Amino acid sequence: AFGAGNLDNPNPYGLTDSEKVLLENKNNLIQNKNQLRKVEVNSNKQANKVDLLRERVDGLQSIVESINKKSHQNKTNLQKLNTQNLKELESSNEYELRLGTATQTNAETIQVNVANIEKLKLVITELSVLIDSINSQYITRDEHNLLVTDVNNFKALILKELKKKKVQKAVIKSPFLNMSNGDVATKAKYYFDKEYYTDSIKHYEYLIEKNYRPAKAHYMIGEMYYIRKNYANAISYFKKSASLYSKASYMPKLMLHTAISMDRTGDKRNAKKFYDGVILKYPNSKEAIKAEKNRE
């Protein structure tokens, strides 16, 4: 029922100003880690694309080498044929026949080469599109390292700010320096009775730091948050008070106000449990009468 102030809760509530700052920094760190993880995934994807690109380039290189080899072979065969024709052919008809055959063969080879060249152009076009896509999406190692450095610098900045706040808090002179804990408690109650709740809360928080009747101090702060209708913070302080001393005289009121706070925040199920608890444990109290009425 008391989940206020828990930073590990998926939907934390009842946070103090310091806890809100820590929660925001925590969320920023998580967001930066998620962004870094996404960048690493994209880098792996781009690496796979580069490997695929290399395989296609190797295939293109094989096609070009095959074309060059065939062209060179055809040229050599044609030269041999011309030499043989000049030496061996005795009649022009036989020479022309062989020349025609060689010309036809060469023409067929040229057609095959033209077709291969067209295929090569198509592959090169696809290759250009793929390269443009990679250039627009691929993140370099330097950019990756820069992002990691930014995340680490952000962490260091947060730690530095937290240390700075601790030092500043230690330097500030306490207004309770010349007061006993009893005097502070008396002053806190005086401010409470006058409805100077801001000053009263400061005094009770000091008593909590000094561990002077901390259960009562938590209860009183919870009451002031309850009066201010800050029900989430009220539940948090009521919970701490009950955990420190569950037999206090103000327990019926603490439980009733806890139930009402839960009711007002929409936690009807747990509010009912606390109403029932007041009725069962303190049946003759005025709080039990109110609990019975609110429970209905």
Side-chain angles (χ1 to χ4, degrees):
F2 294 107
N6 184 5
L7 294 181
D8 294 326
N9 194 306
N11 297 300
Y13 62 91
L15 302 180
T16 62
D17 291 339
S18 297
E19 289 173 336
K20 289 179 180 178
V21 172
L22 291 176
L23 177 61
E24 181 179 359
N25 292 332
K26 177 182 176 183
N27 291 335
N28 288 336
L29 285 175
I30 292 174
Q31 183 177 0
N32 286 328
K33 287 181 180 178
N34 291 336
Q35 184 179 1
L36 179 59
R37 191 176 295 110
K38 182 183 290 185
V39 168
E40 292 175 347
V41 171
N42 289 335
S43 297
N44 292 335
K45 290 181 178 179
Q46 297 302 329
N48 293 333
K49 287 185 178 181
V50 171
D51 291 338
L52 178 62
L53 180 60
R54 289 174 179 166
E55 292 178 0
R56 299 191 71 175
V57 169
D58 291 339
L60 291 175
Q61 185 175 358
S62 299
I63 294 174
V64 172
E65 290 176 355
S66 176
I67 292 173
N68 290 335
K69 185 177 180 181
K70 288 182 179 180
S71 297
H72 178 72
Q73 185 177 359
N74 290 334
K75 183 178 179 180
T76 302
N77 291 338
L78 185 59
Q79 289 176 349
K80 288 181 180 180
L81 184 58
N82 288 334
T83 301
Q84 289 176 357
N85 285 335
L86 292 173
K87 292 181 179 180
E88 297 177 359
L89 294 178
E90 297 177 354
S91 66
S92 60
N93 292 334
E94 186 178 357
Y95 175 77
E96 290 177 358
L97 179 61
R98 291 190 177 186
L99 182 60
T101 302
T103 301
Q104 182 179 358
T105 302
N106 193 41
E108 292 175 354
T109 302
I110 290 174
Q111 290 179 353
V112 173
N113 289 341
V114 170
N116 288 334
I117 289 173
E118 291 300 323
K119 291 181 180 179
L120 182 61
K121 288 181 179 179
L122 180 60
V123 173
I124 289 174
T125 301
E126 294 177 355
L127 184 62
S128 299
V129 174
L130 181 59
I131 290 174
D132 291 339
S133 176
I134 290 176
N135 287 336
S136 64
Q137 300 178 13
Y138 185 69
I139 180 170
T140 65
R141 184 177 295 274
D142 290 339
E143 291 173 334
H144 178 271
N145 292 337
L146 181 61
L147 181 59
V148 173
T149 301
D150 289 341
V151 172
N152 291 333
N153 289 339
F154 182 70
K155 290 180 180 178
L157 180 62
I158 291 176
L159 293 175
K160 183 178 179 181
E161 287 298 321
L162 290 176
K163 290 181 180 178
K164 183 178 179 181
K165 287 184 177 181
K166 289 182 179 180
V167 171
Q168 290 176 346
K169 186 176 180 180
V171 171
I172 297 176
K173 186 177 180 180
S174 173
F176 312 106
L177 188 61
N178 297 321
M179 298 176 63
S180 66
N181 291 335
D183 292 338
V184 175
T186 301
K187 199 71 173 178
K189 185 62 168 60
Y190 169 80
Y191 285 133
F192 177 81
D193 293 337
K194 292 292 184 179
E195 298 183 0
Y196 299 155
Y197 296 136
T198 300
D199 292 329
S200 181
I201 288 174
K202 290 180 180 179
H203 282 67
Y204 280 119
E205 285 178 343
Y206 173 80
L207 294 176
I208 291 174
E209 290 179 2
K210 295 300 181 180
N211 200 31
Y212 179 80
R213 302 182 65 186
K216 179 64 177 295
H218 278 90
Y219 166 70
M220 293 300 295
I221 294 176
E223 281 294 297
M224 284 181 277
Y225 279 124
Y226 174 82
I227 293 171
R228 289 178 168 182
K229 298 183 180 180
N230 189 337
Y231 299 116
N233 276 352
I235 293 172
S236 177
Y237 279 94
F238 287 151
K239 172 187 175 182
K240 185 63 178 178
S241 176
S243 67
L244 292 172
Y245 185 47
S246 61
K247 298 181 179 181
S249 59
Y250 50 78
M251 280 304 297
K253 192 173 184 180
L254 182 151
M255 292 182 65
L256 176 64
H257 286 179
T258 299
I260 295 174
S261 297
M262 290 177 174
D263 210 348
R264 300 285 171 79
T265 57
D267 191 359
K268 304 292 185 181
R269 183 172 62 87
N270 284 312
K272 182 178 180 300
K273 291 181 180 179
F274 272 83
Y275 284 136
D276 291 340
V278 175
I279 295 169
L280 292 174
K281 194 169 184 179
Y282 309 102
N284 298 321
S285 66
K286 61 181 181 179
E287 286 80 12
I289 297 173
K290 293 180 179 179
E292 186 70 38
K293 183 181 299 185
N294 290 339
R295 185 176 178 276
E296 296 174 356

